[in-house]
């Protein structure tokens, strides 16, 4: 199970658009996927056309048990094979500026429930949850039985229980545009981070902050975490300012900047407004965006096969 976070520490760059586009590409290509809506604005949940649930990701972060997780996951209205860990405004209560290790590991613990089928449901699981919290508070990189934490997230092949959610080949975490507990929890749980930006004058500083956040969390608690790359969104053709900013990003961050960029197309907003994947919106602009998301999906899935073999060094600081 590959876990990828869509990340931006600058608001308004289309981070949720990228998460939705990636989810739509996964659905189109038959990749069973869970979208975790960690942004308290819950825009991804709305766009994915989810029916009401009796719990949300906020309750999962309160109590990362399988029984709570089940109640917080619902199928997307987009089609079979795409589920949503539902977001809510109440998730903001978990966005502390300086969380402890126990709090940061709760999302990773919850995701491990998707593939951890060797425990009984109910009260015994609750008791184990207390034990897990205590273990996490002393060693954020270790999990059940002393195994590395991400061993709990790899090789998913078993659902929670007969009628429970899972298995998933891909988990997409839509982060809020700030570096508090929620975003750091996502980086603690993720294998890869897609850094989203737009071609404006603040793009370089925003990308640098995002890279720094990934590197910090990698050193603190998650050695498996790596940036997948930088996706530039809302690019207008023949716009001199955009061309200059894209060249600036490529000069500073090199091959970490994806060669494909997302064009600024009205079809993307129209599809979201209709609660449909961009892949179902049959216009030239939608097809152009869909091709970018399909390429991104391929890169995400390939990284799952190579993440243990490819070293990564942080990009040079931009000052």
């Amino acid at each position: 199970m590959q876990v990828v976070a869509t990340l931006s520490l600058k608001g308004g760059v289309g981070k949720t658009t990228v998460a939705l586009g990636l989810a739509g590409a996964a659905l189109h290509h038959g990749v069973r996927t869970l979208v975790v809506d960690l942004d308290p604005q819950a825009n991804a949940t709305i766009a994915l056309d989810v029916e009401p649930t009796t719990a949300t990701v906020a309750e999962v972060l309160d109590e990362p048990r399988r029984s709570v997780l089940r109640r917080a996951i619902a199928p997307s209205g987009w089609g079979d094979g795409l589920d949503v860990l539902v977001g809510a405004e109440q998730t903001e209560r978990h966005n502390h500026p300086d969380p402890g290790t126990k709090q940061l590991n709760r999302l990773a613990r919850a995701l491990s429930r998707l593939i951890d089928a060797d425990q009984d449901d109910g009260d015994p699981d609750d008791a184990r949850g207390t034990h897990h919290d205590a273990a996490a508070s002393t060693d954020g990189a270790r999990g059940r039985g002393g195994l590395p934490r991400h061993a709990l997230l790899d090789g998913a092949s078993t659902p929670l229980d007969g009628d429970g959610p899972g298995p998933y080949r891909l988990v997409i975490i839509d982060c809020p545009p700030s570096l508090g507990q929620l975003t750091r929890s996502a980086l603690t749980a993720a294998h890869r981070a897609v850094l989203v930006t737009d071609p404006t004058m603040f793009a370089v500083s925003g990308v640098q902050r995002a890279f720094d956040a990934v590197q910090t969390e990698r050193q603190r608690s998650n050695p498996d975490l790596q940036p997948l790359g930088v996706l530039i969104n809302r690019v207008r053709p023949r716009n001199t300012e955009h061309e200059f900013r894209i060249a600036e990003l490529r000069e500073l961050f090199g091959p970490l900047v994806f060669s494909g960029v997302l064009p600024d197309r009205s079809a993307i907003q129209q599809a979201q407004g209709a609660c449909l994947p961009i892949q179902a919106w049959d216009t030239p602009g939608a097809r152009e965006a869909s091709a970018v998301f399909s390429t991104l999906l391929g890169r995400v899935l390939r990284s799952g096969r190579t993440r243990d073999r490819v070293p990564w060094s942080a990009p040079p600081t931009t000052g």
Side-chain angles (χ1 to χ4, degrees):
M1 186 169 76
Q2 179 77 338
V3 183
V4 60
T6 58
L7 173 67
S8 173
L9 301 184
K10 175 181 177 293
V13 302
K15 165 189 55 61
T16 298
T17 293
V18 172
L20 294 172
L22 184 57
L27 177 66
H28 181 73
H29 291 281
V31 177
R32 185 157 168 76
T33 298
L34 174 69
V35 175
V36 179
D37 190 356
L38 212 56
D39 191 334
Q41 296 180 78
N43 290 333
T45 296
I46 296 169
L48 286 162
D49 194 21
V50 179
E51 293 293 326
T53 57
T54 58
T56 70
V57 70
E59 284 73 38
V60 170
L61 293 175
D62 286 334
E63 298 180 279
R65 306 195 317 264
R66 287 184 297 157
S67 56
V68 181
L69 188 63
R70 268 199 206 91
R71 295 191 293 110
I73 291 178
S76 167
W78 288 8
D80 293 340
L82 179 60
D83 294 341
V84 184
L85 178 48
V86 172
E89 183 179 350
Q90 290 78 12
T91 311
E92 183 63 38
R93 69 173 179 259
H94 291 283
N95 208 16
H96 303 293
D98 189 24
T101 303
K102 175 180 174 180
Q103 287 74 29
L104 289 176
N105 276 298
R106 283 184 174 173
L107 179 61
R109 274 191 52 219
L111 295 182
S112 76
R113 303 295 192 207
L114 297 172
I115 60 176
D116 186 9
D118 64 351
Q119 296 181 10
D120 294 327
D121 196 20
D123 292 339
D125 189 44
D126 298 349
R128 284 189 179 97
T130 303
H131 170 74
H132 279 304
D133 272 346
S137 67
T138 59
D139 190 351
R142 309 302 290 182
R144 177 172 44 85
L147 293 172
R149 181 182 50 76
H150 275 83
L152 298 176
L153 300 180
D154 292 338
S157 60
T158 310
L160 288 171
D161 272 330
D163 60 350
Y168 300 106
R169 186 176 175 190
L170 178 64
V171 175
I172 303 166
I173 307 175
D174 186 31
C175 303
S178 61
L179 190 60
Q181 178 181 336
L182 294 173
T183 295
R184 289 187 59 197
S185 294
L187 295 178
T188 300
H191 301 114
R192 294 290 183 266
V194 175
L195 313 183
V196 183
T197 189
D198 57 3
T200 63
M201 66 176 294
F202 301 112
V204 169
S205 61
V207 170
Q208 184 64 59
R209 289 196 304 274
F211 269 121
D212 291 345
V214 170
Q215 176 69 349
T216 298
E217 222 53 56
R218 175 183 168 91
Q219 293 173 342
R220 281 176 174 169
S221 63
N222 185 2
D224 294 334
L225 176 65
Q226 293 187 18
L228 188 70
V230 180
L231 182 60
I232 306 174
N233 189 23
R234 295 178 177 168
V235 176
R236 297 174 187 169
R238 298 176 297 280
N239 183 299
T240 303
E241 172 67 10
H242 284 195
E243 291 173 357
F244 175 81
R245 297 302 174 187
I246 292 170
E248 184 178 39
L249 285 164
R250 295 195 192 283
E251 179 181 358
L252 290 168
F253 299 104
L256 286 169
V257 180
F258 296 148
S259 57
V261 299
L262 266 175
D264 187 12
R265 296 287 183 263
S266 60
I268 295 176
Q269 287 73 41
Q270 291 167 354
Q272 289 179 8
C275 295
L276 290 171
I278 188 66
Q279 290 77 10
W281 205 257
D282 190 19
T283 68
R287 289 191 290 272
E288 186 181 4
S290 296
V292 175
F293 289 126
S294 289
T295 300
L296 177 60
L297 175 66
R299 190 158 180 170
V300 168
L301 296 178
R302 286 193 300 273
S303 74
R305 297 193 293 268
T306 62
R307 63 175 179 256
D308 294 329
R309 302 195 300 269
V310 180
W312 173 72
S313 299
T317 183
T318 58

